[in-house]
Amino acid sequence: MLGTEPDIIANYVENGQVKIIFWPVLNHGDPSVYSTLASECAGQQNPELFWEMHHYLFQNQQDIWGATRDYYVQTAVSLGADQATFEACYDGPDGLATVLELDALRREHGVFNQPTFNINGNVLAGSHPYDTFAEAFASLE
């Protein structure tokens, strides 16, 4: 998705034709849970921080397998999150509850693999080139 995402955002999201909604897929144990929690906590401060944290962690996946709480805190702060607010979310029960609820909802909707895209009922599983998305968006018109 990171390869096609910038073009999708530029050509469809920015003009209001498409809205990207992220649903966590917690299928890699604690690294998935805590990476998603970190993105959620950053995003509670600013929706743009959610995407910055998500992209950073996705691009640096090799780091999350041994990541500690401090890694996530330092990463969030380096991206512009307020440390005290981030830590309160990360350490408290509400952020984790939100992440687990979102994961349960995606399972209820039958999404078990990543990436999975649902474009008004047209489900695309796996990575796809930009043209595939453009065709799916064109069918919405």
Side-chain angles (χ1 to χ4, degrees), residues 59-93:
Q59 291 170 337
N60 295 282
Q61 290 181 50
Q62 70 282 358
D63 296 339
I64 68 170
W65 299 105
T68 64
R69 174 192 179 277
D70 289 343
Y71 171 83
Y72 293 111
V73 172
Q74 291 169 2
T75 300
V77 170
S78 75
L79 294 173
D82 174 77
Q83 184 169 343
T85 304
F86 180 86
E87 289 177 322
C89 175
Y90 190 89
D91 295 333

Side-chain angles (χ1 to χ4, degrees), residues 22-28 32 58 61 106 111-117 124-127:
F22 175 82
W23 290 84
V25 178
L26 307 179
N27 59 357
H28 295 295
S32 292
F58 190 83
Q61 290 181 50
R106 73 93 192 148
V111 176
F112 296 99
N113 300 310
Q114 57 188 11
T116 298
F117 306 92
L124 301 173
S127 296

Side-chain angles (χ1 to χ4, degrees), residues 7-137:
D7 290 333
I8 292 171
I9 290 171
N11 296 319
Y12 295 97
V13 174
E14 288 179 1
N15 66 18
Q17 289 179 285
V18 169
K19 182 176 185 178
I20 295 175
I21 300 172
F22 175 82
W23 290 84
V25 178
L26 307 179
N27 59 357
H28 295 295
D30 285 348
S32 292
V33 172
Y34 292 112
S35 294
T36 303
L37 175 60
S39 295
E40 172 66 24
C41 291
Q44 286 183 10
Q45 292 185 40
N46 177 340
E48 292 297 320
L49 275 177
F50 170 88
W51 290 110
E52 288 180 40
M53 179 68 105
H54 175 268
H55 291 325
Y56 180 87
L57 295 173
F58 190 83
Q59 291 170 337
N60 295 282
Q61 290 181 50
Q62 70 282 358
D63 296 339
I64 68 170
W65 299 105
T68 64
R69 174 192 179 277
D70 289 343
Y71 171 83
Y72 293 111
V73 172
Q74 291 169 2
T75 300
V77 170
S78 75
L79 294 173
D82 174 77
Q83 184 169 343
T85 304
F86 180 86
E87 289 177 322
C89 175
Y90 190 89
D91 295 333
D94 294 340
L96 182 58
T98 297
V99 165
L100 296 176
E101 286 172 26
L102 289 172
D103 184 60
L105 282 171
R106 73 93 192 148
R107 281 186 272 115
E108 286 176 21
H109 285 88
V111 176
F112 296 99
N113 300 310
Q114 57 188 11
T116 298
F117 306 92
N118 184 328
I119 304 169
N120 278 9
N122 180 15
V123 176
L124 301 173
S127 296
H128 293 274
Y130 175 81
D131 290 343
T132 301
F133 289 100
E135 289 175 20
F137 299 147

